[in-house]
Amino acid sequence: TAARGGAMASMKRLRLENNNVDRKGAEALAEHMQEALPVLQELGLSGNTFSDSSVLELASAGRRHPTLRKILLQGLPLSDDFLREMPALRETHQRPQVIVG
């Protein structure tokens, strides 16, 4: 990605709250996060427009990321079924901490 080796390579916290990040943007971030943001520790995506499947992709990508500790996902249009299953997701994803609501 264009960010590799640049200013974003040393970024530890990325805050993209309320930026109209949609499903495609969330999926692209999940796909390139480890390469483009190798030392990222906290990812803030609260208040955007993606939902269930993208949250799962981000959580999965976060699990593979060596330094990511927290993903903030409050205020997303998540289904009631997804929110009911969230406690099980938290148990299987010890790191990073995924915060929704």
Side-chain angles (χ1 to χ4, degrees):
T1 66
R4 188 177 345 157
M8 290 183 66
S10 62
M11 188 176 296
K12 292 184 179 186
R13 181 177 290 153
L14 179 60
R15 307 294 291 231
L16 296 171
E17 286 92 351
N18 302 307
N19 273 300
N20 203 28
V21 176
D22 61 8
R23 179 188 56 80
K24 286 177 127 181
E27 290 170 2
L29 180 60
E31 183 178 343
H32 299 287
M33 181 171 30
Q34 187 170 343
E35 179 183 334
L37 302 161
V39 297
L40 187 67
Q41 294 178 6
E42 183 176 313
L43 176 61
L45 290 166
S46 297
N48 284 291
T49 60
F50 57 89
S51 63
D52 301 7
S53 63
S54 298
V55 169
L56 291 174
E57 283 192 46
L58 285 163
S60 180
R63 218 175 48 237
R64 292 186 306 272
H65 195 289
T67 61
L68 188 62
R69 300 287 176 250
K70 187 181 295 186
I71 303 175
L72 306 170
L73 300 167
Q74 293 101 336
L76 300 177
L78 301 172
S79 71
D80 289 340
D81 288 340
F82 183 85
L83 291 173
R84 275 192 293 276
E85 303 219 4
M86 194 61 209
L89 177 67
R90 284 190 184 116
E91 288 174 15
T92 59
H93 290 81
Q94 298 297 320
R95 188 198 57 76
Q97 179 183 12
V98 179
I99 302 172
V100 299

